Amino acid sequence: MKKREIKIDDLISGLHTGVNLVNLMELLTSKTVPSPITKNPSFRIQKIQNNSIAVEFAKAEKVNVIGCGAEDLVDGELKIILGFIWTLILKYQINKANQSST
């Protein structure tokens, strides 16, 4: 996130708009999210849309996001957010470790 000058101090408030989550997914995958997002969402529906784009992108990247929905991220469901972040860590750390060992 340092590359994009994004700092997240609190997972709940840092991810609820979906903008930072989309940035994180783009950085992890080195791909651009195919759908446009609302850069400064002020309405709940815009935040849900942004998070939905991020979750769908994660699914397309074969990240196991079972039990995690856009509404959960907007509503600040901490256990679900932590589970989703942990899943990202496992997937991308394992991929990184596999790439460096070959």
Side-chain angles (χ1 to χ4, degrees):
M1 300 291 278
K2 209 178 235 186
K3 290 180 182 179
R4 297 191 183 185
E5 298 179 6
I6 297 171
K7 183 178 177 185
I8 299 175
D9 292 320
D10 176 30
L11 278 178
I12 293 173
S13 63
L15 298 181
H16 83 278
T17 66
V19 174
N20 289 334
L21 186 56
V22 167
N23 280 294
L24 177 62
M25 291 302 302
E26 288 180 341
L27 289 168
L28 288 173
T29 63
S30 300
K31 297 178 182 176
T32 303
V33 175
S35 303
I37 63 166
T38 305
K39 298 287 184 187
N40 296 307
S42 54
F43 299 108
R44 178 177 167 77
I45 190 69
Q46 293 170 323
K47 295 172 187 177
I48 291 172
Q49 271 182 309
N50 285 350
N51 278 298
S52 180
I53 289 167
V55 169
E56 290 302 315
F57 184 67
K59 286 180 186 176
E61 291 295 313
K62 299 188 182 357
V63 174
N64 185 5
V65 293
I66 294 173
C68 179
E71 293 87 356
D72 299 320
L73 298 168
V74 173
D75 293 340
E77 298 291 336
L78 187 58
K79 287 183 181 180
I80 293 173
I81 293 169
L82 291 173
F84 183 64
I85 296 299
W86 183 248
T87 302
L88 292 175
I89 290 169
L90 290 176
K91 175 163 176 67
Y92 291 102
Q93 274 304 115
I94 290 170
N95 282 349
K96 187 177 178 181
N98 287 341
Q99 289 173 356
S100 63
S101 65
T102 56

